[in-house]
Amino acid sequence: MTDPVLRLTDVRRVHGTGATQVEALRGISFAAYAGELVAVMGPSGSGKSTLLTIAGGLDQPTSGAVVVEGADLTGLGLDARARMRRTSIGYVFQGFNLIPALTAAENVALPRELDGVPARTARQEARAALEEVGIGELADRFPDDMSGGQQQRVAIARAVVGERRLILADEPTGALDTETGEEILRLLRARCDAGAAGVLVTHEARHAAWADRVVFLRDGVVVDETGTASVDLLTEPAAR
Amino acid sequence: MGTTRGGWQVALRLARREAWRRKGQTALMLLLICLPVVAVTAAAVVWRTQDVSGVESIERRMGAADARLVAHEGPMVEQHFDPDVAQGWVGEGTRKPATLDEVLAVAGAGRPAVPLLRESRTFRTDAGVADMEVLTTDLDSPLAAGLVRPVEGTFPPGPGEVVVNRAAADRGPGLGETLTVLHKTADGEQEVELEVVGIAESAVSRGYPFAAGQPGTFGGSATHEHEWLLGGGPVTWDDVVALNRIGVAVASRHVLTDPPPDSVLTSGGSPVSSLLLDSGPDELTITVLALVVVMVLLEVVLLAGPAFAVRAKAQAHALALVAAAGGTPRQARRTVLASGVVVGLVGGVVGVVLGIGAGALAVPVAQRFNSTVFGPFEVPWPLLGVVAVFGFLSALLAAVVPAFAASRQDVVAVLGGRRGEGRPSTRSPILGVVLLGAGVAGAATGAVAGQEVGAVLIAGSALVAVVGMILVVPVVVAVVARLAARLPLALRFAARDAARHRTRTVPAVAAVGATVAGVVALGIAVSSQEAANEAEYTPLLRDGHGSVSLSNPDTDPAAVDAVLRKAGLDDQVEAITGLRLSTDTEEMELEFRQGEEALWLSYWSGLGSPYAVGETVPDFVDIAPAARERADAVLAEGGLVLLQDPHASEGSYTLPQLDGDPVAVDVRRWSDDLPEPELAATAEAPTVLLEVSGTATVLAVFSPPVVEDLGLPTAVVGTLLAAPISDETEKDVAEALAALPGDPYFYVERGYRTPDEVRIIQAVLAALGGILMLGGTLTATFLALSDAKPDLATMAAVGARPRTRRGVAASYALVVGGVGALLGAPVGFIPGVAISQPITKDPVTGTTLLEVPWTLVGLVVVGLPLLTALAVGACARGRLPLTARID
Ligand SMILES: Nc1ncnc2c1ncn2[C@@H]1O[C@H](COP(=O)(O)OP(=O)(O)OP(=O)(O)O)[C@@H](O)[C@H]1O
Ligand SMILES: [Mg+2]
């Protein structure tokens, strides 16, 4: 088997010190391979978001290794990790997090432009990415003038532009209605089928059905790792 | 009404909590409101303290005595209750000044009295001679206590001894050494040598040489007046009036502390009395003051505006929820206004308190630069009350626009998490353009109106234009955001974000704009004025060269030469022979005329006489070779050469062409025993009038035959130093020459020099402008950065380098500073160009000058914003917020 796009090895993350100390992750190991969409599930406060920020290089683990496309993020400086996020890792948030001062196309082009790609080229790539998620005609709109679903598509376009191979999505459908949410997941799935590795944090078993694999977290540890077949069984009680 | 009060109570409570919760932001708001209050308060305290009021000046004027009396030669005196404010003689003729006996006969026999005299004398310094003030009185007497403050050594001095102050001791005669005082009397100059036994400062001034001694110490007095300090109980206003009748002016402790009513002073309506009526500030002063206050208020409001806008924005969500729950727009408005009330109250009071402290610290510093001894520390409470109200008002006004914006906010957009503001109004920019037009029109009117009215009109128009500019700012910011599409990411983001948060951006841009407008306007005014001064200036000599004028027959040219030789200037010396126009008793004046028509030559020269005598034109006259040839020919045939400096042409008067035409010279003699000048001699000679190419130095060159005809004596009237003279040499030579009899005048041509006070004012204004610009840009930038935290976090998430934050910060600064400067500069031209007209207007020709300081304009418009941006970029934290938890 080929090397995974993302590999976490015995990752621990402790927030704060002393009495207020919280151990968000307590030794997590898991990997995501190219072409695969991994769902991460677990109750609130189990460490899902923390896991994702560490995988995305936004946060550093207290101990353990985080390897993305062969590079160990824990050994990289702020600048180098920023470069990883521009070139290898795409991030999709629950709250869309588009920059309101930039148009849809400019938002999508942002990582490319930050990477030094000429503005014109970046804008073209962005338009292509927007076409791909089905909203090419909204390229020059500002986020405030778009619906939530449209904004999230822009966010996905931004996460995939520039052929990035690791897509991290933290409850990307949380603020959307069911139908729009399904549409967003379909886009994610398509991206993974095209060769990217995806990690999807979600609360809903229904969404986990789009994934190839589900990782269950509880109190900062992986309690189960399974195929999608058993997802329904395992999560129904928790979801209620 | 009850609900109104209740509404305010809730709003104020919310504002207090909010102020407490966002401490950093509140601190910034307080700082912006406080700083001007602190500055004005400190200035007011220093000003009131350095100002010596009548009562405060009693000790320095009369020590511990009850009155100070001055006996005049006039028969009677009329005086203000404070004779230093106004006094005059009444009645015909002169009288012998009253004696002490006469005075005591009126004031009450048995009163103790000591003579007192303040005079100016010359004393020997290490380098030559200098002037000093000497005080002569009975320093042992309790009446004189407080006039002199002993510092070191013995006090009081005995006969043949003196005390001097630091300033005098530093120039030569120190403690234990000898003070040589020069004293001119009828029988020549007299030197008095005195032993310095102590160092003591005058109660009046410091920094200027001063000496004090017992009566008779400094030799005979030159004045015909007699002065005394009088003791023995209060001297009443009736006593003062009685003493006035025998020609004595009185400064009485009792009267100064408890002045008589105005009705007593103004009786009779004589000229002195009318001088005394304190005719409060005139309308012009009040108008100017009002304009200045409004401008300062505007600037403060603009500077503080962004902070209040951001505070209001932070409350937007809560206000939207209130609105959704049925709150009225007025409640929303009140909630935001309450922030202004809270910050204004605290800022005003804290500012005044801090200002008094700052003033107390500044008083000793100010005293060091001021030779007059300050009065006691004084806090002008009523004035400070006004200043505190000013602070309160500025905070309230700064909250007004955000308050109205909050009451009109789009509830749906806010609750939907949209952070931007709607489209800008289209009406206000139109009004803005109208106001700008009105400003231009008003300034143009003011430019051609009279000096004073014009200035007020122009200042008023400037204010109108600035308000117009403020109304235009939103559109310009929006346009800049539009144009930003092609700019690099950081700039594009900054420009668009600035446009999206107008209530925050507009006041900041306007503050920078108003500052730049002020700097540009003042810059144009000062440059134009300076250009006019420079154009008016006529050099007397070639640049850097010097001259010694020998007009007084007492001055020995050989002694002057000796001084110059000692200074190493002897090999460039040229003695000028000319007409001697004055003797001890008479003064000659020359008048030139062609037929009956008088020829007016300007009269100013650094020499003892502006008329040289010679058979050829002296070398120092700058004149074209052909003209020189012609002049020498005329002189050879016994003629006269008149020289004209084109720079010195007086107004529209031009001399007629003269080329060998006969010109008559009349000599008029002035003398003490003649009631009117008399015609002493007349001569006629062929004359040429020539224009000089550089400096003329003299006005005319007489050939010896003409001088003979006029019967005037010739003499060395001056010495020219035909080489550049350093500042240091100039000082040495001047001090050495001052010690010679006849006080020969030493002049060095330095060309036009900007007066020091103009330079200081320029520097202060430039610094103030820079600080205001920087302040406006910085507050706006850092408020914007804190507002943009979520966006910066997003950028980080998609891979922005940490230093992107610096780029964004610098871009904000560039947008705010650049747009402000670009708008402000043209607005500054309106009053600047207008005011340059009246202040440079030549009273005769009516020509005006306009000098635009392009370097300054360029620096302010391009340099400062760039510099600020760089500084902001360098200072901003190069760390992006990495937390992705934004919602
Ligand atoms: N910056 C922080 N400081 C302190 N504790 C933190 C911080 N971030 C997260 N935590 C703690 O770490 C634990 C894991 O948080 P995390 O956000 O990863 O949970 P989650 O699984 O994403 O929850 P949710 O489903 O509610 O989003 C929680 O107990 C949380 O309180
Ligand atoms: Mg989470």
Side-chain angles (χ1 to χ4, degrees), chain B residues 592 612-617 630-642 659-663 665 683-689 700-710:
Chain B
F592 300 84
V613 174
E615 281 157 10
T616 57
V617 174
R630 176 79 187 109
D632 286 350
V634 169
L635 288 176
E637 61 190 63
L640 177 63
V641 175
L642 299 183
D659 189 23
D661 308 68
V663 164
V665 185
E684 205 173 65
T687 303
V688 277
L689 173 70
V701 184
F702 286 70
S703 64
V706 183
V707 177
E708 223 161 279
D709 286 354
L710 292 171

Side-chain angles (χ1 to χ4, degrees), chain B residues 291-502:
Chain B
L291 280 173
V292 169
V293 169
V294 171
M295 283 181 195
V296 173
L297 188 64
L298 187 65
E299 181 77 24
V300 174
V301 168
L302 291 177
L303 281 172
F308 284 92
V310 170
R311 163 75 41 99
K313 196 56 89 46
Q315 292 174 308
H317 200 253
L319 291 177
L321 286 175
V322 170
T328 63
R330 195 204 301 178
Q331 282 163 334
R333 207 151 53 219
R334 223 176 250 166
T335 308
V336 177
L337 272 181
S339 291
V341 173
V342 168
V343 171
L345 281 176
V346 176
V349 173
V350 170
V352 165
V353 171
L354 290 180
I356 293 172
L361 293 177
V363 162
V365 179
Q367 175 73 83
R368 209 175 310 154
F369 292 100
N370 198 318
S371 62
T372 305
V373 177
F374 290 177
F377 187 70
E378 214 176 322
V379 178
W381 289 111
L383 183 59
L384 297 193
V386 175
V387 176
V389 169
F390 177 93
F392 173 73
L393 210 62
S394 56
L396 194 62
L397 287 176
V400 164
V401 173
F404 274 86
S407 70
R408 291 210 205 100
Q409 72 179 354
D410 180 348
V411 174
V412 179
V414 172
L415 291 180
R418 293 179 200 156
R419 287 179 282 139
E421 292 165 35
R423 294 189 182 291
S425 132
T426 45
R427 248 179 316 161
S428 52
I430 293 173
L431 179 61
V433 171
V434 169
L435 286 180
L436 277 172
V440 173
T445 316
V448 293
Q451 278 264 8
E452 287 179 346
V453 181
V456 171
L457 203 58
I458 291 168
S461 312
L463 196 60
V464 171
V466 167
V467 173
M469 176 196 80
I470 296 171
L471 294 178
V472 177
V473 170
V475 194
V476 176
V477 170
V479 169
V480 170
R482 276 275 173 80
L483 298 178
R486 304 184 163 277
L487 296 177
L489 180 69
L491 264 174
R492 194 187 330 141
F493 171 72
R496 295 240 190 92
D497 197 68
R500 283 169 45 81
H501 296 94
R502 265 194 322 278

Side-chain angles (χ1 to χ4, degrees), chain B residues 113-176:
Chain B
V114 296
L116 170 88
L117 201 56
R118 281 183 199 276
E119 280 183 300
S120 181
R121 290 286 166 87
T122 314
F123 73 109
R124 282 209 189 289
T125 62
D126 288 343
V129 298
D131 290 332
M132 80 185 322
E133 189 198 327
V134 300
L135 170 72
T136 320
T137 190
D138 183 357
L139 293 168
D140 303 309
S141 165
L143 295 182
L147 287 178
V148 179
R149 299 171 184 168
V151 177
E152 200 185 334
T154 314
F155 188 89
E161 298 175 346
V162 281
V163 289
V164 300
N165 72 347
R166 261 288 147 243
D170 288 347
R171 317 252 328 229
L175 190 57

Side-chain angles (χ1 to χ4, degrees), chain A residues 49-50 53 57-58 78-79 81-83 85-86 89 91 93-95 97-103 106 110-111 113-115 119-120 123 142-146 158 164, chain B residues 417-420 423 484-489 492-493 496-497 500 790-804 878-880 882-887:
Chain A
S49 295
T50 306
T53 51
L58 285 170
L78 281 173
D79 273 340
R81 274 188 281 140
R83 191 169 52 74
R85 287 198 297 278
R86 293 198 297 276
I89 309 167
Y91 223 114
F93 307 88
Q94 174 176 2
N97 286 6
L98 298 182
I99 293 178
L102 302 180
T103 61
E106 286 171 340
L110 190 61
E113 235 182 299
L114 287 170
D115 202 32
R120 181 184 295 262
R123 212 76 58 92
F142 284 96
D144 278 357
D145 305 333
M146 290 191 246
R158 184 177 65 191
R164 281 176 290 179
Chain B
R418 293 179 200 156
R419 287 179 282 139
R423 294 189 182 291
R486 304 184 163 277
L487 296 177
L489 180 69
R492 194 187 330 141
F493 171 72
R496 295 240 190 92
D497 197 68
R500 283 169 45 81
D791 296 337
L792 290 169
T794 303
M795 285 198 200
V798 300
R801 290 177 195 85
R803 69 159 184 271
T804 302
R879 254 196 114 95
L880 284 162
L882 283 178
T883 31
R885 315 174 159 255
I886 286 144
D887 311 307

Side-chain angles (χ1 to χ4, degrees), chain A residues 44-45 47-50 94 170-171 201 203, chain B residues 885:
Chain A
S44 185
K48 306 183 294 292
S49 295
T50 306
Q94 174 176 2
D170 195 348
E171 302 188 44
V201 168
H203 268 122
Chain B
R885 315 174 159 255

